[in-house]
Each structure stands twice: as structure tokens, then as C-alpha cells.
Amino acid sequence: MKPNFSLRLRVFNLNCWGLPYVSKHRSDRMKRLGDFLNMESFDLALLEEVWSEQDFQCLKEKLSFTYPAAHYFRSGIIGSGLCVFSKHPIQEIIQHVYTLNGYPYMIHHGDWFCGKAVGLLVFHLSGLVLNAYVTHLHAEYSRQKDIYLAHRVAQAWELAQFIHHTSKKADVVLLCGDLNMHPKDLGCCLLREWTGLHDAYLETQDFKGFEEGYTMVPENHYVSQKDLEPFPCGIRIDYVLYKAVSGFCISCKSLKSTAGHGPYNGTPLSDHEALMATLCVRHSPLQQNPPAGRLPLISVLREAWTELGLGIAQARWWAAFAGNVIGVGLLLLVLLCFLVAEERAREVAILLWTPNVGLVLGAGAVYLFHTQEARGLCRVQTELQHVLGREREAQDLSSEPQLALLLGQEGDRTE
Amino acid sequence: MKPNFSLRLRVFNLNCWGLPYVSKHRSDRMKRLGDFLNMESFDLALLEEVWSEQDFQCLKEKLSFTYPAAHYFRSGIIGSGLCVFSKHPIQEIIQHVYTLNGYPYMIHHGDWFCGKAVGLLVFHLSGLVLNAYVTHLHAEYSRQKDIYLAHRVAQAWELAQFIHHTSKKADVVLLCGDLNMHPKDLGCCLLREWTGLHDAYLETQDFKGFEEGYTMVPENHYVSQKDLEPFPCGIRIDYVLYKAVSGFCISCKSLKSTAGHGPYNGTPLSDHEALMATLCVRHSPLQQNPPAGRLPLISVLREAWTELGLGIAQARWWAAFAGNVIGVGLLLLVLLCFLVAEERAREVAILLWTPNVGLVLGAGAVYLFHTQEARGLCRVQTELQHVLGREREAQDLSSEPQLALLLGQEGDRTE
């Protein structure tokens, strides 16, 4: 590769809001999205919430000339909703489905049925290895009482770990997606600190779009105004993040987002705003890795550790509650058998038998689900604990009294 | 690193058969296993089927002096059963839980509840990066009618992909575990061909143990003789696999397995035989990667593709069947409502109402499960298809008429 090597990468990201029967004007929006992508001819278009595989197939057909490579990430019952269209051939594909993703009985939220995941595509561009990741994390339905917080933090950690372990030989790492987290949220900090990814919005000198880079704004008439009530100006939950790993540097020349309407005004393409980034990759003298034992990482790891602890306590409470319901249900069944045998209130007993069996089975399912949830959260907590231990060793404690104080309580907890 | 660098690695692997209340003499066997590991002082001990976390904690305490680092991989409802004890500090940890792992209603088989997984531990040994993987795949309960074949092939592919994508910067890769596959089984070939891992049993010049390297033998009195009926001499399903990635070469100096009894005779440690390998890693001139478009890989990818297709058809059949049951159940519910409203056979109608609701809900769960199963298998099939396409491109078709013939049918299927 020549020393003056330089590569320009134009990237598009959009949460398409493509829920069949629910999302308004879906087919019209998909059609316009296809037209727009064809016209703009990005290097890479990463989409979320393309829930219908038929929509993907239509887009694939429409875009086949401009974007010869395409991939849909299948997972869960409904799907991951993730897909990618690329001008360049895809060398390798892998995906990771998040272990924890909400609760099956929260049917009206539906995240559990989706199989939320992160997809990785490896590209070779002029001798450079690009790892492009696309993801969509669990939605936040209430910021005041967010029952999914522990799951989202666990997902952010799994995402960070997946990127960390699969990108070791990549020259450039790109992550696009709907993280369902505000920029300063715990999961977002955890992801950035552990992977070293940079936020295109914060890095670029040339941003065109809403103030603060908001990607869900009340000006977009598809957005539920009620959901945005606590944030009257909007929220930023969609991201373009990147880093160059070694021998290269990457910068964001420009970042553009739609502003509550379509890219050329008119009706919006989705309830989210689209992000369009122009990235520039250049050769660079070997960069120093960030020093081991970084204070912000340690602090965010500790915070995540605590948050997961609360999630574990909650999961264990539900498992114990379900266990008690099973106990009471079984006692009732014995009582009903007794009533039938004694020929007392026989009809009522027979009538109550089946609902009671249903109760025991239902409570059994809840027990198993929350046991598995607690185990999944414990697993993430153990991994965080291990990293905390390693960071602590890497840090020269004696020269950092502040850090020693911060880590004091962690010492006997780590493995 | 010096050019005459050489590293000796002593590795232990055992499926411990540690099911509480079920496995015979569990605590005694665990105690003896701990004594043996302490005495032998391996570099790395990788264990499967340590289902009780308490057993892990006891071992950890007992081995803390000889093996200061230890990790238990938590997952699923029961756990993954996987754990590791190491003389050397663990640098990094990650795990991947297999997407497909049997059926929840096959309670007597129980694999679904385990959350079978692959765990990765990264070690830095004298400047060398070692990625050590431990895994346990879905059991094979009947070789004649193996309803889990598609799941096991999918697991083997996920395992191979996980190793392929996470080991790109490793110098040495080691995989130990109970693969529940015979050496020539499809999943085993797929794993070896896609990762390039070598089988310690086939590579070593110095093997001590049963003929053919069997790791489940009728001589072990814990083994169910009925299960081994089709294989009166034994089966080989536990493996030590390895490869050196670049600049290094690795060889297996010796491989030893127990022979139906404990390491020093006496009662066996488990119903599986333990494997003890001595590996030697040396500096080596840069090795050539295997040529792209390899014929055995292409052939095994095609075979796996076909097998997964059968699995998908089966999963879709079950989903359709459950869909029909839901339809009939809903019709019955309408009929029962009608009977109650008309005051005809009211008691019978009320009595049948709840079981019928149960039937609809149960069929709904079966429908959702098999829909997700079909999607998971489709996802693996698409990944295989993509690799097949890439391999086809890499191969010079004109110079390989045999390959052209083999790939003829694949052409229009690949993305």
C-alpha cells in the first residue's frame, strides 16, 4: 500500500421503522428509500428495523446494480431487522444474537420476539480490512422507570466484547445502528470506552442536521409526540462510530442527517432521521494504544457492574416469586384432589383443576425465564469484573491514589 | 522473541459427568479429579459438564495454589457446564451461546435447558498469544434417527465461525471439548476444514490410550452399555484440536487418555475418558495459508448446506402443524362459546374451555419455537452459501473441471 494511500467512505444509516401492518406508509417509504440509495450511491448502507424479509428482497432487487452485495441478518422469531447493502463485495459474515433481550410476556413491547443482534461484515478495500458492524439494541420505553436498563447495559457489553474480539486484525472498524441510548448513557459510555470507538457527530467539523445531532425529533410527523414529551427538542440514539486500529487514521469529513423530513424535503423516510457520513481513511505512523488502566473505563465498568447487580437482584426476586406461586399452585392441586376424593364441591374442584395446572405451568415458565436472566446478567458481571481486575493490575496503583480509592471496594470481589 | 523460542504446553480435557442427583459418585469423583489435577500441574485444565457451580467453587478452592486462574462459563437455565483452570493468568474472556440447542419439550434429554456454548480464554505466554476454546455440543441420543443433526451441524458451524473470527491475531489456537461427533461426522469435518485445526490424536506419534482414540468405552463401568451397543469397541467424541496461525508451528509431542478407569487405575473419573496432551510450540518461517477454494471444504460446505435444508423443512413442517392446531383450537373455542350461549351441554362446554385455551397457547409456543428454529437454520445456511460463493470465486474454475461440476448447482443459489 502506498504511503499516501487515502480512502473515502460514504456511509448511510437508517432505522427504517418497517413493521408490517403497524408502520405508516411503509411500502411508499421503502420505495423512496430505494430511489434515494440508488441516486446517492453510498459505499455502504446499513439499515435497521427492516422487519419484513420481503421488504429486504424488494430493496435488494431494486439496488442490485448500485449495490451488488447485500445481506439480511436472520434471527429470533420476527428477525433482527438488520440488513446491509454494499457497493463492495462482502468477504465474510458473522452475527451475534444478544443473550438478553427483554421479556416474552411484554408482548406489547415485542423486543423479545425480534432476536436483536449485531451483524459483522468484513470488506477488503484497496488492501485495507474494514469491519463494518450494524446493530439495534433494546428499546427504552420509559426513561423514568426503565425495566430494560440492565438488559441494555448487558447488550452494550456484549456488543463491545464482540467488536473487541472480532476486530483484532481489522484496519478500520465502523459501527452503525440504533443503540437506543443517549450519548451519555451508561451503555454508550461502556461501549465507547471498551472499544475505543469515536462518535462521528462529536468528531466531525462539518455537521448538517438538528442541533445536538438529534435523530428522533418532534418535527418528524411519524414520531409519537407522547414518547418525546420528556425531550421536547429531540433525542440522539442513532450513531455512526468508528476507529482505525493500527497504521491508519480515520476522520469524519462530514456528517449529515435528515431534519424531520425526507432527504430532499417532503415526507420523512422513517420516524428516525437518516445519518450520512463521509469518512476518510489515511496511512498514519503507528499509533500508540491508549494506556492500560484507564480511569474513565474503570469508572464506567464499576457503574455497569453495579447496574447489573440491581438487575440480578430483580431477576432473582421474580424467580423466587414464581417459585412461591408454583408452591401455592401445587398445594391447591393437592387440595382439589382431596375435595374430589371426598366428593365435596366436586364440580368446583374439577372446574378449578385445569386453570390451576395452567397457573403452575405458567409460573414454571416464568421461573425458568428469570433464572436464565439472572445467569445471563451474572455472566456479564463476571466478565466486567475480570476486566476490572486486569485494568487494576495494569495501573500503577501507587502513583494513582485516586484510583486506589476508587478500586478499593472492588479488590475482594474480583475473581 | 528469540528465534529458538520453544514452549511446552500440557493440557487436560475431561467431560466430568457432573449432573447433581443423577451422576453416580459425583462428589467423590470431583474430589479425585481435584487431587489429580493438583498432582499433575497441567498448564490448562478444560472441563465440561461441571453442571453444579458449587462443584466449580470447590475445585477452584482446592486448585487455587496450582491453578491461580479459573473461570466458569455461565449460560442458559442450568449452565453451560464449561469451566477452565489455568496456571497462567487469563487475559481476556468471552463466550458465545449457540443459537440452536435442541427442543424445550424434550425435557428428558435436557440439552435445551443447558445453554450449550463455546468459551474463549486469551493467554499471553512468553509473548505468544494463545486462544484456548472449550465447548460442548448437543448430545447424540440416536445415531439411526438423530433428530438433532441439523442443530449439531449448525453448532459446529457457529463454533467454527466464532474461532475463525476471534482468533485472527492469535499465534496459537487450542480447542478442547466434547463435540458429541465422531471424527468423520459432517460437523467435525466442517469445523476442521473451516478453521484449519488439527486433531491431536491423528497428528501425534506418541499416543497412549484405547485403540482409535476412543473416549467412551464399554470398559468404563459408568458408561451406559445400552448407548454403546452400536459401537461395541467405543466411540471418539472428545477432542484436543490445535493450530498455529503465523510464524509459529505447533505439534503434539504426546497424547494420553485414561482407559476405562482412573488415571492411576481404580474407579474412573467420569463416564468419558480424560485427554492429556503435551503440545510444543516453536518459531517457524512464515507458513503459507492453505490455497483458497479448497475442494474438501467446498464439498463439506455443500453437504452441510443440504443437511440444514432438511432441518429447515422439518422445522417449517412443525410450525405449519402447530399453526393448524391453533386454527382448530380457535374454531373449537368459538364452538364452545356457541354451546354456552345456546345453553346446550353447558357444563361440558365450560369444562372443555380451559384445556382448549391451554391447547391454543401450547400450540402457539410450539409455532413460535419452530419459526425461530427455521430462521436460525436459514441464517447458518446463508452464511455457508456465502462462503461457498467466495470459495468458488477464489478457485480457478477453468483449471478444475471436477470442481466446476461440483459447484454447478450452487451457482444460482448463492447471494
Side-chain angles (χ1 to χ4, degrees), chain A residues 13 24 37 45 87 98 138 165 167 170 183 214 228 246 254 269 272 283 291 297 317 352 360 371 407:
Chain A
N13 177 74
K24 281 184 201 160
L37 290 179
K87 228 191 238 179
Y98 298 121
H138 198 295
H165 284 273
S167 68
Y214 294 139
L228 271 192
S246 68
S254 72
L269 289 175
H272 286 243
H283 248 302
L297 171 62
W317 186 91
L352 286 177
V360 170
T371 303
L407 285 170

Coordinates of all heavy atoms in Angstrom, one line a residue, chain A residues 13 24 37 45 87 98 138 165 167 170 183 214 228 246 254 269 272 283 291 297 317 352 360 371 407:
Chain A
N13 N -26.9 5.3 7.3 CA -27.5 4.6 8.3 C -29.0 5.1 8.6 O -29.2 6.3 8.7 CB -26.7 4.6 9.6 CG -27.4 3.9 10.8 OD1 -27.4 2.7 10.8 ND2 -28.1 4.6 11.7
K24 N -46.7 3.4 9.4 CA -47.5 4.1 8.3 C -46.7 4.2 7.0 O -45.4 4.4 7.1 CB -47.8 5.5 8.8 CG -49.0 5.5 9.8 CD -49.3 7.0 10.1 CE -50.0 7.1 11.4 NZ -50.0 8.4 12.0
L37 N -31.2 5.7 -2.2 CA -29.9 5.0 -2.1 C -29.3 4.8 -3.5 O -28.1 4.9 -3.6 CB -30.1 3.6 -1.4 CG -30.5 3.7 0.1 CD1 -30.7 2.2 0.6 CD2 -29.4 4.4 0.9
A45 N -24.7 1.0 2.9 CA -26.0 1.4 3.5 C -26.4 0.4 4.6 O -26.5 -0.8 4.3 CB -27.1 1.6 2.5
K87 N -21.6 -1.5 -2.1 CA -21.0 -1.4 -3.4 C -19.9 -2.4 -3.6 O -19.6 -2.8 -4.7 CB -20.4 0.1 -3.5 CG -20.8 0.8 -4.7 CD -19.9 2.1 -4.8 CE -20.7 3.3 -4.8 NZ -19.9 4.5 -4.8
Y98 N -27.9 -11.2 20.9 CA -27.8 -10.9 22.3 C -28.5 -11.9 23.2 O -29.6 -12.3 22.9 CB -28.3 -9.5 22.6 CG -27.5 -8.4 21.8 CD1 -28.2 -7.5 20.9 CD2 -26.2 -8.3 21.9 CE1 -27.5 -6.6 20.2 CE2 -25.5 -7.3 21.2 CZ -26.1 -6.5 20.3 OH -25.4 -5.6 19.6
H138 N -32.1 -3.0 22.6 CA -33.5 -3.0 23.1 C -34.0 -1.5 23.3 O -33.2 -0.7 23.8 CB -33.5 -3.7 24.5 CG -34.8 -4.1 24.9 ND1 -35.8 -3.2 25.3 CD2 -35.4 -5.3 25.1 CE1 -36.9 -3.8 25.6 NE2 -36.7 -5.1 25.5
H165 N -13.2 -8.5 20.2 CA -12.6 -9.8 19.9 C -12.6 -10.1 18.4 O -11.8 -11.0 18.0 CB -13.3 -10.9 20.7 CG -12.9 -11.0 22.1 ND1 -11.8 -11.7 22.6 CD2 -13.5 -10.4 23.2 CE1 -11.7 -11.5 23.9 NE2 -12.7 -10.7 24.3
S167 N -12.3 -7.8 15.9 CA -11.7 -6.7 15.1 C -10.2 -6.6 15.3 O -9.6 -5.6 14.9 CB -12.4 -5.4 15.4 OG -12.0 -5.0 16.6
A170 N -8.5 -6.1 12.0 CA -9.1 -5.1 11.1 C -8.3 -3.8 11.1 O -7.7 -3.5 12.1 CB -10.5 -4.8 11.5
P183 N -26.2 9.8 24.3 CA -24.8 9.7 24.2 C -24.1 9.5 25.6 O -23.0 8.9 25.6 CB -24.4 11.1 23.6 CG -25.6 11.5 22.9 CD -26.8 11.0 23.6
Y214 N -29.6 15.4 17.0 CA -30.8 14.5 17.3 C -31.3 13.7 16.1 O -31.3 14.2 15.0 CB -32.0 15.4 17.8 CG -31.8 16.1 19.1 CD1 -32.2 17.5 19.3 CD2 -31.1 15.5 20.2 CE1 -31.9 18.1 20.5 CE2 -30.9 16.1 21.4 CZ -31.3 17.5 21.5 OH -31.1 18.1 22.7
L228 N -41.9 11.5 23.0 CA -40.8 12.6 23.0 C -41.1 13.7 24.1 O -40.4 14.6 24.1 CB -40.6 13.2 21.6 CG -39.6 12.5 20.7 CD1 -39.3 13.3 19.5 CD2 -38.3 12.1 21.5
S246 N -4.6 0.2 13.5 CA -3.1 0.4 13.5 C -2.6 0.8 12.1 O -3.1 0.3 11.1 CB -2.4 -0.9 14.0 OG -2.6 -1.8 13.0
S254 N -17.5 14.8 6.9 CA -18.8 15.4 7.1 C -19.8 14.5 7.6 O -19.7 13.3 7.3 CB -19.2 16.1 5.8 OG -19.6 15.0 4.9
L269 N -38.4 9.5 5.6 CA -38.2 8.1 5.2 C -38.6 7.2 6.4 O -38.8 6.0 6.1 CB -36.8 7.9 4.8 CG -36.3 8.5 3.5 CD1 -34.8 8.3 3.3 CD2 -37.0 7.9 2.3
H272 N -37.2 7.8 12.4 CA -35.8 8.2 12.8 C -35.3 9.0 11.7 O -35.7 8.9 10.6 CB -34.9 6.9 13.0 CG -35.2 6.2 14.3 ND1 -34.3 6.0 15.3 CD2 -36.3 5.5 14.7 CE1 -34.8 5.3 16.2 NE2 -36.0 5.0 15.9
H283 N -3.1 6.6 5.6 CA -2.0 5.9 6.3 C -1.5 6.9 7.4 O -1.6 8.1 7.3 CB -0.8 5.8 5.3 CG -0.5 4.4 5.0 ND1 -0.2 3.5 6.0 CD2 -0.6 3.7 3.8 CE1 -0.1 2.3 5.4 NE2 -0.3 2.4 4.1
P291 N -3.2 4.1 27.0 CA -2.5 3.5 28.1 C -3.5 2.5 28.9 O -4.7 2.8 29.0 CB -2.1 4.6 29.0 CG -3.0 5.8 28.6 CD -3.3 5.5 27.2
L297 N -12.6 4.3 31.9 CA -13.0 2.9 31.7 C -13.3 2.2 33.0 O -14.4 1.6 33.2 CB -11.9 2.1 30.9 CG -12.2 0.6 30.8 CD1 -13.5 0.3 30.0 CD2 -11.0 -0.1 30.1
W317 N -35.5 -12.0 42.4 CA -36.8 -11.7 43.1 C -38.0 -12.4 42.3 O -38.8 -13.1 42.9 CB -37.0 -10.2 43.2 CG -38.2 -10.0 44.1 CD1 -38.3 -9.8 45.4 CD2 -39.6 -9.8 43.6 NE1 -39.6 -9.6 45.9 CE2 -40.4 -9.6 44.8 CE3 -40.2 -9.9 42.4 CZ2 -41.8 -9.5 44.7 CZ3 -41.6 -9.7 42.3 CH2 -42.4 -9.5 43.5
L352 N -61.8 -26.0 38.7 CA -60.6 -25.3 39.0 C -59.3 -26.0 38.7 O -58.2 -25.4 38.7 CB -60.6 -24.9 40.5 CG -61.6 -23.8 41.0 CD1 -61.5 -23.7 42.5 CD2 -61.2 -22.5 40.3
V360 N -49.6 -23.3 37.4 CA -48.3 -23.9 37.8 C -47.3 -23.9 36.6 O -46.2 -23.6 36.8 CB -48.5 -25.4 38.4 CG1 -47.2 -26.1 38.5 CG2 -49.3 -25.3 39.7
T371 N -34.6 -17.3 36.0 CA -33.3 -18.0 36.4 C -32.3 -17.8 35.3 O -31.1 -17.5 35.6 CB -33.6 -19.5 36.6 OG1 -34.7 -19.7 37.5 CG2 -32.4 -20.2 37.0
L407 N -10.9 1.9 43.5 CA -10.9 0.4 43.3 C -10.9 -0.4 44.6 O -11.0 -1.6 44.6 CB -9.6 0.0 42.5 CG -9.7 0.3 41.0 CD1 -8.3 0.0 40.4 CD2 -10.7 -0.6 40.3

